[in-house]
Amino acid sequence: MSSEIVVLVFDIIIVILGVNTLLGALRMKKTGIPAAILIPKEEQAKIRNPKAFCEKMCQPTLLFGILICVYGVADLCNSFVVRMPYMDIACIACFLLVCAWYMKKLRDAKDAHM
């Protein structure tokens, strides 16, 4: 299996994860029930105020989903359309920073509502 196919599969998985995160955020906003991607179903009963948790995490989750999709599409474009050597490093660095930011937001929300 060539490295280009591995990159393609990885980028497609990233875009699917981003879309799933966006749908989870929209579902959270509509229903007031935390998305299973954020809180496993077994732990959702431990949340004291699910509606407040959803309100606090909806916007960061939407932003996280959008940025994940942008990363996936940018990496696909960089790999198969326009090759810019330092773009990979910049994209990965931004992706990791966004993941760290989102994990902090999620941890803070869990600490406040669990």
Side-chain angles (χ1 to χ4, degrees), residues 41-76:
K41 297 245 184 232
E42 302 84 34
E43 293 184 19
Q44 287 187 5
K46 296 178 185 177
I47 298 176
R48 293 187 301 255
N49 190 349
K51 188 136 180 102
F53 176 84
C54 290
E55 288 173 4
K56 186 171 189 174
M57 286 307 298
C58 185
Q59 187 175 10
T61 304
L62 280 171
L63 183 60
F64 182 62
I66 290 167
L67 292 172
I68 288 175
C69 288
V70 168
Y71 166 75
V73 171
D75 199 41
L76 279 169

PDB file of all heavy atoms in Angstrom, residues 41-76:
ATOM      1  N   LYS A  41     -22.383   7.280  26.849  1.00  0.00           N
ATOM      2  CA  LYS A  41     -23.758   7.095  27.347  1.00  0.00           C
ATOM      3  C   LYS A  41     -23.772   6.650  28.805  1.00  0.00           C
ATOM      4  O   LYS A  41     -24.646   7.050  29.565  1.00  0.00           O
ATOM      5  CB  LYS A  41     -24.493   6.087  26.484  1.00  0.00           C
ATOM      6  CG  LYS A  41     -24.658   6.533  25.057  1.00  0.00           C
ATOM      7  CD  LYS A  41     -26.091   6.733  24.734  1.00  0.00           C
ATOM      8  CE  LYS A  41     -26.201   7.080  23.265  1.00  0.00           C
ATOM      9  NZ  LYS A  41     -26.945   8.256  23.023  1.00  0.00           N
ATOM     10  N   GLU A  42     -22.805   5.830  29.209  1.00  0.00           N
ATOM     11  CA  GLU A  42     -22.759   5.346  30.587  1.00  0.00           C
ATOM     12  C   GLU A  42     -22.518   6.466  31.591  1.00  0.00           C
ATOM     13  O   GLU A  42     -22.956   6.397  32.728  1.00  0.00           O
ATOM     14  CB  GLU A  42     -21.654   4.292  30.761  1.00  0.00           C
ATOM     15  CG  GLU A  42     -21.771   3.087  29.868  1.00  0.00           C
ATOM     16  CD  GLU A  42     -21.184   3.316  28.486  1.00  0.00           C
ATOM     17  OE1 GLU A  42     -20.178   4.048  28.345  1.00  0.00           O
ATOM     18  OE2 GLU A  42     -21.759   2.779  27.529  1.00  0.00           O
ATOM     19  N   GLU A  43     -21.804   7.503  31.178  1.00  0.00           N
ATOM     20  CA  GLU A  43     -21.461   8.606  32.079  1.00  0.00           C
ATOM     21  C   GLU A  43     -22.437   9.776  32.004  1.00  0.00           C
ATOM     22  O   GLU A  43     -22.342  10.694  32.808  1.00  0.00           O
ATOM     23  CB  GLU A  43     -20.052   9.101  31.771  1.00  0.00           C
ATOM     24  CG  GLU A  43     -18.976   8.097  32.089  1.00  0.00           C
ATOM     25  CD  GLU A  43     -17.590   8.656  31.855  1.00  0.00           C
ATOM     26  OE1 GLU A  43     -17.438   9.886  31.801  1.00  0.00           O
ATOM     27  OE2 GLU A  43     -16.664   7.846  31.722  1.00  0.00           O
ATOM     28  N   GLN A  44     -23.371   9.765  31.059  1.00  0.00           N
ATOM     29  CA  GLN A  44     -24.275  10.901  30.901  1.00  0.00           C
ATOM     30  C   GLN A  44     -25.194  11.078  32.101  1.00  0.00           C
ATOM     31  O   GLN A  44     -25.624  12.194  32.385  1.00  0.00           O
ATOM     32  CB  GLN A  44     -25.076  10.759  29.607  1.00  0.00           C
ATOM     33  CG  GLN A  44     -24.223  11.021  28.396  1.00  0.00           C
ATOM     34  CD  GLN A  44     -25.010  11.063  27.113  1.00  0.00           C
ATOM     35  OE1 GLN A  44     -26.227  10.978  27.113  1.00  0.00           O
ATOM     36  NE2 GLN A  44     -24.314  11.214  26.013  1.00  0.00           N
ATOM     37  N   ALA A  45     -25.466  10.014  32.820  1.00  0.00           N
ATOM     38  CA  ALA A  45     -26.317  10.133  34.011  1.00  0.00           C
ATOM     39  C   ALA A  45     -25.613  10.901  35.130  1.00  0.00           C
ATOM     40  O   ALA A  45     -26.277  11.435  36.023  1.00  0.00           O
ATOM     41  CB  ALA A  45     -26.718   8.748  34.502  1.00  0.00           C
ATOM     42  N   LYS A  46     -24.294  10.991  35.085  1.00  0.00           N
ATOM     43  CA  LYS A  46     -23.539  11.697  36.125  1.00  0.00           C
ATOM     44  C   LYS A  46     -23.568  13.213  35.961  1.00  0.00           C
ATOM     45  O   LYS A  46     -23.182  13.941  36.870  1.00  0.00           O
ATOM     46  CB  LYS A  46     -22.085  11.228  36.118  1.00  0.00           C
ATOM     47  CG  LYS A  46     -21.906   9.771  36.467  1.00  0.00           C
ATOM     48  CD  LYS A  46     -20.448   9.402  36.372  1.00  0.00           C
ATOM     49  CE  LYS A  46     -20.233   7.924  36.584  1.00  0.00           C
ATOM     50  NZ  LYS A  46     -18.826   7.549  36.418  1.00  0.00           N
ATOM     51  N   ILE A  47     -23.999  13.696  34.812  1.00  0.00           N
ATOM     52  CA  ILE A  47     -24.017  15.135  34.569  1.00  0.00           C
ATOM     53  C   ILE A  47     -25.158  15.767  35.365  1.00  0.00           C
ATOM     54  O   ILE A  47     -26.309  15.354  35.252  1.00  0.00           O
ATOM     55  CB  ILE A  47     -24.177  15.438  33.063  1.00  0.00           C
ATOM     56  CG1 ILE A  47     -22.998  14.872  32.302  1.00  0.00           C
ATOM     57  CG2 ILE A  47     -24.283  16.933  32.823  1.00  0.00           C
ATOM     58  CD1 ILE A  47     -23.102  15.034  30.820  1.00  0.00           C
ATOM     59  N   ARG A  48     -24.819  16.776  36.165  1.00  0.00           N
ATOM     60  CA  ARG A  48     -25.821  17.429  37.010  1.00  0.00           C
ATOM     61  C   ARG A  48     -26.803  18.266  36.205  1.00  0.00           C
ATOM     62  O   ARG A  48     -27.990  18.271  36.500  1.00  0.00           O
ATOM     63  CB  ARG A  48     -25.116  18.304  38.051  1.00  0.00           C
ATOM     64  CG  ARG A  48     -24.325  17.514  39.069  1.00  0.00           C
ATOM     65  CD  ARG A  48     -23.794  18.422  40.149  1.00  0.00           C
ATOM     66  NE  ARG A  48     -22.929  19.459  39.611  1.00  0.00           N
ATOM     67  CZ  ARG A  48     -21.610  19.475  39.707  1.00  0.00           C
ATOM     68  NH1 ARG A  48     -20.990  18.500  40.319  1.00  0.00           N
ATOM     69  NH2 ARG A  48     -20.905  20.463  39.210  1.00  0.00           N
ATOM     70  N   ASN A  49     -26.315  18.999  35.235  1.00  0.00           N
ATOM     71  CA  ASN A  49     -27.170  19.867  34.429  1.00  0.00           C
ATOM     72  C   ASN A  49     -26.817  19.691  32.950  1.00  0.00           C
ATOM     73  O   ASN A  49     -26.002  20.438  32.407  1.00  0.00           O
ATOM     74  CB  ASN A  49     -26.990  21.325  34.865  1.00  0.00           C
ATOM     75  CG  ASN A  49     -28.006  22.239  34.242  1.00  0.00           C
ATOM     76  OD1 ASN A  49     -28.734  21.861  33.328  1.00  0.00           O
ATOM     77  ND2 ASN A  49     -28.052  23.475  34.733  1.00  0.00           N
ATOM     78  N   PRO A  50     -27.440  18.696  32.298  1.00  0.00           N
ATOM     79  CA  PRO A  50     -27.072  18.414  30.904  1.00  0.00           C
ATOM     80  C   PRO A  50     -27.313  19.587  29.954  1.00  0.00           C
ATOM     81  O   PRO A  50     -26.538  19.822  29.035  1.00  0.00           O
ATOM     82  CB  PRO A  50     -27.954  17.232  30.514  1.00  0.00           C
ATOM     83  CG  PRO A  50     -28.567  16.724  31.747  1.00  0.00           C
ATOM     84  CD  PRO A  50     -28.435  17.772  32.790  1.00  0.00           C
ATOM     85  N   LYS A  51     -28.376  20.334  30.178  1.00  0.00           N
ATOM     86  CA  LYS A  51     -28.694  21.459  29.288  1.00  0.00           C
ATOM     87  C   LYS A  51     -27.591  22.523  29.355  1.00  0.00           C
ATOM     88  O   LYS A  51     -27.164  23.046  28.332  1.00  0.00           O
ATOM     89  CB  LYS A  51     -30.038  22.052  29.669  1.00  0.00           C
ATOM     90  CG  LYS A  51     -30.534  23.074  28.688  1.00  0.00           C
ATOM     91  CD  LYS A  51     -31.988  22.838  28.408  1.00  0.00           C
ATOM     92  CE  LYS A  51     -32.514  23.839  27.442  1.00  0.00           C
ATOM     93  NZ  LYS A  51     -32.635  23.293  26.109  1.00  0.00           N
ATOM     94  N   ALA A  52     -27.130  22.849  30.567  1.00  0.00           N
ATOM     95  CA  ALA A  52     -26.059  23.837  30.725  1.00  0.00           C
ATOM     96  C   ALA A  52     -24.751  23.325  30.112  1.00  0.00           C
ATOM     97  O   ALA A  52     -24.004  24.092  29.499  1.00  0.00           O
ATOM     98  CB  ALA A  52     -25.860  24.170  32.197  1.00  0.00           C
ATOM     99  N   PHE A  53     -24.492  22.022  30.266  1.00  0.00           N
ATOM    100  CA  PHE A  53     -23.309  21.434  29.659  1.00  0.00           C
ATOM    101  C   PHE A  53     -23.365  21.591  28.138  1.00  0.00           C
ATOM    102  O   PHE A  53     -22.387  21.968  27.506  1.00  0.00           O
ATOM    103  CB  PHE A  53     -23.194  19.952  30.036  1.00  0.00           C
ATOM    104  CG  PHE A  53     -22.043  19.254  29.378  1.00  0.00           C
ATOM    105  CD1 PHE A  53     -20.778  19.317  29.933  1.00  0.00           C
ATOM    106  CD2 PHE A  53     -22.220  18.531  28.210  1.00  0.00           C
ATOM    107  CE1 PHE A  53     -19.705  18.676  29.325  1.00  0.00           C
ATOM    108  CE2 PHE A  53     -21.166  17.890  27.597  1.00  0.00           C
ATOM    109  CZ  PHE A  53     -19.909  17.965  28.158  1.00  0.00           C
ATOM    110  N   CYS A  54     -24.518  21.304  27.565  1.00  0.00           N
ATOM    111  CA  CYS A  54     -24.691  21.419  26.109  1.00  0.00           C
ATOM    112  C   CYS A  54     -24.527  22.861  25.639  1.00  0.00           C
ATOM    113  O   CYS A  54     -23.899  23.116  24.610  1.00  0.00           O
ATOM    114  CB  CYS A  54     -26.057  20.876  25.690  1.00  0.00           C
ATOM    115  SG  CYS A  54     -26.184  19.091  25.862  1.00  0.00           S
ATOM    116  N   GLU A  55     -25.075  23.789  26.390  1.00  0.00           N
ATOM    117  CA  GLU A  55     -24.937  25.203  26.025  1.00  0.00           C
ATOM    118  C   GLU A  55     -23.473  25.641  26.086  1.00  0.00           C
ATOM    119  O   GLU A  55     -23.018  26.402  25.236  1.00  0.00           O
ATOM    120  CB  GLU A  55     -25.785  26.069  26.948  1.00  0.00           C
ATOM    121  CG  GLU A  55     -27.268  25.945  26.692  1.00  0.00           C
ATOM    122  CD  GLU A  55     -28.114  26.682  27.722  1.00  0.00           C
ATOM    123  OE1 GLU A  55     -27.549  27.366  28.603  1.00  0.00           O
ATOM    124  OE2 GLU A  55     -29.345  26.551  27.650  1.00  0.00           O
ATOM    125  N   LYS A  56     -22.759  25.137  27.084  1.00  0.00           N
ATOM    126  CA  LYS A  56     -21.357  25.522  27.243  1.00  0.00           C
ATOM    127  C   LYS A  56     -20.477  24.896  26.158  1.00  0.00           C
ATOM    128  O   LYS A  56     -19.519  25.512  25.709  1.00  0.00           O
ATOM    129  CB  LYS A  56     -20.858  25.089  28.618  1.00  0.00           C
ATOM    130  CG  LYS A  56     -19.476  25.571  28.946  1.00  0.00           C
ATOM    131  CD  LYS A  56     -19.136  25.303  30.390  1.00  0.00           C
ATOM    132  CE  LYS A  56     -17.845  25.978  30.771  1.00  0.00           C
ATOM    133  NZ  LYS A  56     -17.569  25.861  32.190  1.00  0.00           N
ATOM    134  N   MET A  57     -20.800  23.690  25.716  1.00  0.00           N
ATOM    135  CA  MET A  57     -19.948  22.966  24.776  1.00  0.00           C
ATOM    136  C   MET A  57     -20.395  23.057  23.322  1.00  0.00           C
ATOM    137  O   MET A  57     -19.657  22.631  22.433  1.00  0.00           O
ATOM    138  CB  MET A  57     -19.860  21.487  25.181  1.00  0.00           C
ATOM    139  CG  MET A  57     -18.989  21.243  26.392  1.00  0.00           C
ATOM    140  SD  MET A  57     -17.325  21.937  26.260  1.00  0.00           S
ATOM    141  CE  MET A  57     -16.659  21.060  24.855  1.00  0.00           C
ATOM    142  N   CYS A  58     -21.554  23.607  23.049  1.00  0.00           N
ATOM    143  CA  CYS A  58     -22.062  23.635  21.680  1.00  0.00           C
ATOM    144  C   CYS A  58     -21.160  24.454  20.762  1.00  0.00           C
ATOM    145  O   CYS A  58     -20.729  23.967  19.703  1.00  0.00           O
ATOM    146  CB  CYS A  58     -23.489  24.162  21.644  1.00  0.00           C
ATOM    147  SG  CYS A  58     -24.200  24.078  19.999  1.00  0.00           S
ATOM    148  N   GLN A  59     -20.863  25.667  21.123  1.00  0.00           N
ATOM    149  CA  GLN A  59     -20.047  26.527  20.263  1.00  0.00           C
ATOM    150  C   GLN A  59     -18.622  25.989  20.086  1.00  0.00           C
ATOM    151  O   GLN A  59     -18.137  25.912  18.947  1.00  0.00           O
ATOM    152  CB  GLN A  59     -20.030  27.950  20.787  1.00  0.00           C
ATOM    153  CG  GLN A  59     -19.350  28.912  19.851  1.00  0.00           C
ATOM    154  CD  GLN A  59     -19.447  30.345  20.333  1.00  0.00           C
ATOM    155  OE1 GLN A  59     -19.852  30.601  21.450  1.00  0.00           O
ATOM    156  NE2 GLN A  59     -19.061  31.272  19.480  1.00  0.00           N
ATOM    157  N   PRO A  60     -17.916  25.584  21.174  1.00  0.00           N
ATOM    158  CA  PRO A  60     -16.582  25.008  20.948  1.00  0.00           C
ATOM    159  C   PRO A  60     -16.612  23.737  20.097  1.00  0.00           C
ATOM    160  O   PRO A  60     -15.716  23.510  19.288  1.00  0.00           O
ATOM    161  CB  PRO A  60     -16.073  24.700  22.363  1.00  0.00           C
ATOM    162  CG  PRO A  60     -16.834  25.595  23.253  1.00  0.00           C
ATOM    163  CD  PRO A  60     -18.175  25.777  22.607  1.00  0.00           C
ATOM    164  N   THR A  61     -17.664  22.931  20.248  1.00  0.00           N
ATOM    165  CA  THR A  61     -17.760  21.705  19.459  1.00  0.00           C
ATOM    166  C   THR A  61     -18.004  22.018  17.990  1.00  0.00           C
ATOM    167  O   THR A  61     -17.429  21.373  17.103  1.00  0.00           O
ATOM    168  CB  THR A  61     -18.864  20.790  20.025  1.00  0.00           C
ATOM    169  OG1 THR A  61     -18.590  20.537  21.409  1.00  0.00           O
ATOM    170  CG2 THR A  61     -18.921  19.463  19.296  1.00  0.00           C
ATOM    171  N   LEU A  62     -18.837  23.014  17.712  1.00  0.00           N
ATOM    172  CA  LEU A  62     -19.038  23.436  16.322  1.00  0.00           C
ATOM    173  C   LEU A  62     -17.728  23.934  15.713  1.00  0.00           C
ATOM    174  O   LEU A  62     -17.374  23.548  14.596  1.00  0.00           O
ATOM    175  CB  LEU A  62     -20.097  24.538  16.247  1.00  0.00           C
ATOM    176  CG  LEU A  62     -21.548  24.111  16.302  1.00  0.00           C
ATOM    177  CD1 LEU A  62     -22.449  25.329  16.450  1.00  0.00           C
ATOM    178  CD2 LEU A  62     -21.929  23.315  15.082  1.00  0.00           C
ATOM    179  N   LEU A  63     -17.037  24.777  16.443  1.00  0.00           N
ATOM    180  CA  LEU A  63     -15.763  25.308  15.946  1.00  0.00           C
ATOM    181  C   LEU A  63     -14.753  24.185  15.745  1.00  0.00           C
ATOM    182  O   LEU A  63     -14.048  24.146  14.726  1.00  0.00           O
ATOM    183  CB  LEU A  63     -15.223  26.356  16.919  1.00  0.00           C
ATOM    184  CG  LEU A  63     -13.944  27.061  16.507  1.00  0.00           C
ATOM    185  CD1 LEU A  63     -14.129  27.801  15.190  1.00  0.00           C
ATOM    186  CD2 LEU A  63     -13.503  28.015  17.590  1.00  0.00           C
ATOM    187  N   PHE A  64     -14.690  23.258  16.678  1.00  0.00           N
ATOM    188  CA  PHE A  64     -13.780  22.118  16.574  1.00  0.00           C
ATOM    189  C   PHE A  64     -14.108  21.281  15.333  1.00  0.00           C
ATOM    190  O   PHE A  64     -13.216  20.905  14.572  1.00  0.00           O
ATOM    191  CB  PHE A  64     -13.874  21.277  17.848  1.00  0.00           C
ATOM    192  CG  PHE A  64     -12.944  20.105  17.891  1.00  0.00           C
ATOM    193  CD1 PHE A  64     -11.568  20.274  17.867  1.00  0.00           C
ATOM    194  CD2 PHE A  64     -13.449  18.812  17.986  1.00  0.00           C
ATOM    195  CE1 PHE A  64     -10.716  19.184  17.924  1.00  0.00           C
ATOM    196  CE2 PHE A  64     -12.605  17.721  18.044  1.00  0.00           C
ATOM    197  CZ  PHE A  64     -11.233  17.903  18.016  1.00  0.00           C
ATOM    198  N   GLY A  65     -15.378  21.004  15.106  1.00  0.00           N
ATOM    199  CA  GLY A  65     -15.787  20.232  13.931  1.00  0.00           C
ATOM    200  C   GLY A  65     -15.434  20.931  12.630  1.00  0.00           C
ATOM    201  O   GLY A  65     -14.950  20.305  11.684  1.00  0.00           O
ATOM    202  N   ILE A  66     -15.669  22.238  12.591  1.00  0.00           N
ATOM    203  CA  ILE A  66     -15.339  23.009  11.386  1.00  0.00           C
ATOM    204  C   ILE A  66     -13.830  22.972  11.127  1.00  0.00           C
ATOM    205  O   ILE A  66     -13.390  22.744   9.993  1.00  0.00           O
ATOM    206  CB  ILE A  66     -15.843  24.464  11.513  1.00  0.00           C
ATOM    207  CG1 ILE A  66     -17.367  24.501  11.450  1.00  0.00           C
ATOM    208  CG2 ILE A  66     -15.229  25.352  10.431  1.00  0.00           C
ATOM    209  CD1 ILE A  66     -17.965  25.824  11.861  1.00  0.00           C
ATOM    210  N   LEU A  67     -13.051  23.180  12.177  1.00  0.00           N
ATOM    211  CA  LEU A  67     -11.597  23.193  12.005  1.00  0.00           C
ATOM    212  C   LEU A  67     -11.054  21.821  11.621  1.00  0.00           C
ATOM    213  O   LEU A  67     -10.094  21.727  10.844  1.00  0.00           O
ATOM    214  CB  LEU A  67     -10.920  23.717  13.274  1.00  0.00           C
ATOM    215  CG  LEU A  67     -11.175  25.199  13.540  1.00  0.00           C
ATOM    216  CD1 LEU A  67     -10.634  25.605  14.899  1.00  0.00           C
ATOM    217  CD2 LEU A  67     -10.588  26.059  12.454  1.00  0.00           C
ATOM    218  N   ILE A  68     -11.651  20.760  12.135  1.00  0.00           N
ATOM    219  CA  ILE A  68     -11.229  19.416  11.739  1.00  0.00           C
ATOM    220  C   ILE A  68     -11.518  19.201  10.251  1.00  0.00           C
ATOM    221  O   ILE A  68     -10.684  18.662   9.513  1.00  0.00           O
ATOM    222  CB  ILE A  68     -11.934  18.341  12.582  1.00  0.00           C
ATOM    223  CG1 ILE A  68     -11.377  18.333  13.993  1.00  0.00           C
ATOM    224  CG2 ILE A  68     -11.749  16.960  11.970  1.00  0.00           C
ATOM    225  CD1 ILE A  68     -12.101  17.382  14.915  1.00  0.00           C
ATOM    226  N   CYS A  69     -12.707  19.599   9.803  1.00  0.00           N
ATOM    227  CA  CYS A  69     -13.046  19.468   8.377  1.00  0.00           C
ATOM    228  C   CYS A  69     -12.090  20.285   7.513  1.00  0.00           C
ATOM    229  O   CYS A  69     -11.624  19.799   6.464  1.00  0.00           O
ATOM    230  CB  CYS A  69     -14.487  19.902   8.134  1.00  0.00           C
ATOM    231  SG  CYS A  69     -15.720  18.751   8.747  1.00  0.00           S
ATOM    232  N   VAL A  70     -11.781  21.501   7.938  1.00  0.00           N
ATOM    233  CA  VAL A  70     -10.855  22.354   7.181  1.00  0.00           C
ATOM    234  C   VAL A  70      -9.480  21.701   7.109  1.00  0.00           C
ATOM    235  O   VAL A  70      -8.841  21.675   6.047  1.00  0.00           O
ATOM    236  CB  VAL A  70     -10.769  23.769   7.809  1.00  0.00           C
ATOM    237  CG1 VAL A  70      -9.609  24.565   7.233  1.00  0.00           C
ATOM    238  CG2 VAL A  70     -12.077  24.506   7.608  1.00  0.00           C
ATOM    239  N   TYR A  71      -9.024  21.130   8.224  1.00  0.00           N
ATOM    240  CA  TYR A  71      -7.727  20.451   8.218  1.00  0.00           C
ATOM    241  C   TYR A  71      -7.737  19.286   7.233  1.00  0.00           C
ATOM    242  O   TYR A  71      -6.807  19.122   6.442  1.00  0.00           O
ATOM    243  CB  TYR A  71      -7.359  19.941   9.618  1.00  0.00           C
ATOM    244  CG  TYR A  71      -6.215  18.965   9.574  1.00  0.00           C
ATOM    245  CD1 TYR A  71      -4.907  19.398   9.363  1.00  0.00           C
ATOM    246  CD2 TYR A  71      -6.431  17.597   9.698  1.00  0.00           C
ATOM    247  CE1 TYR A  71      -3.860  18.503   9.290  1.00  0.00           C
ATOM    248  CE2 TYR A  71      -5.392  16.697   9.626  1.00  0.00           C
ATOM    249  CZ  TYR A  71      -4.107  17.151   9.426  1.00  0.00           C
ATOM    250  OH  TYR A  71      -3.075  16.268   9.342  1.00  0.00           O
ATOM    251  N   GLY A  72      -8.771  18.468   7.275  1.00  0.00           N
ATOM    252  CA  GLY A  72      -8.849  17.320   6.381  1.00  0.00           C
ATOM    253  C   GLY A  72      -8.843  17.722   4.922  1.00  0.00           C
ATOM    254  O   GLY A  72      -8.114  17.146   4.100  1.00  0.00           O
ATOM    255  N   VAL A  73      -9.636  18.720   4.578  1.00  0.00           N
ATOM    256  CA  VAL A  73      -9.704  19.184   3.188  1.00  0.00           C
ATOM    257  C   VAL A  73      -8.385  19.843   2.780  1.00  0.00           C
ATOM    258  O   VAL A  73      -7.883  19.611   1.668  1.00  0.00           O
ATOM    259  CB  VAL A  73     -10.899  20.144   2.999  1.00  0.00           C
ATOM    260  CG1 VAL A  73     -10.861  20.811   1.643  1.00  0.00           C
ATOM    261  CG2 VAL A  73     -12.208  19.392   3.192  1.00  0.00           C
ATOM    262  N   ALA A  74      -7.800  20.640   3.671  1.00  0.00           N
ATOM    263  CA  ALA A  74      -6.517  21.294   3.353  1.00  0.00           C
ATOM    264  C   ALA A  74      -5.419  20.255   3.140  1.00  0.00           C
ATOM    265  O   ALA A  74      -4.604  20.386   2.214  1.00  0.00           O
ATOM    266  CB  ALA A  74      -6.125  22.257   4.468  1.00  0.00           C
ATOM    267  N   ASP A  75      -5.405  19.221   3.943  1.00  0.00           N
ATOM    268  CA  ASP A  75      -4.391  18.189   3.783  1.00  0.00           C
ATOM    269  C   ASP A  75      -4.614  17.385   2.498  1.00  0.00           C
ATOM    270  O   ASP A  75      -3.660  17.016   1.813  1.00  0.00           O
ATOM    271  CB  ASP A  75      -4.363  17.268   4.997  1.00  0.00           C
ATOM    272  CG  ASP A  75      -3.070  16.489   5.091  1.00  0.00           C
ATOM    273  OD1 ASP A  75      -1.998  17.079   4.833  1.00  0.00           O
ATOM    274  OD2 ASP A  75      -3.124  15.286   5.413  1.00  0.00           O
ATOM    275  N   LEU A  76      -5.886  17.134   2.179  1.00  0.00           N
ATOM    276  CA  LEU A  76      -6.181  16.473   0.902  1.00  0.00           C
ATOM    277  C   LEU A  76      -5.698  17.309  -0.271  1.00  0.00           C
ATOM    278  O   LEU A  76      -5.059  16.788  -1.200  1.00  0.00           O
ATOM    279  CB  LEU A  76      -7.679  16.213   0.768  1.00  0.00           C
ATOM    280  CG  LEU A  76      -8.240  14.985   1.472  1.00  0.00           C
ATOM    281  CD1 LEU A  76      -9.759  15.014   1.461  1.00  0.00           C
ATOM    282  CD2 LEU A  76      -7.731  13.718   0.817  1.00  0.00           C
TER     283      LEU A  76
END
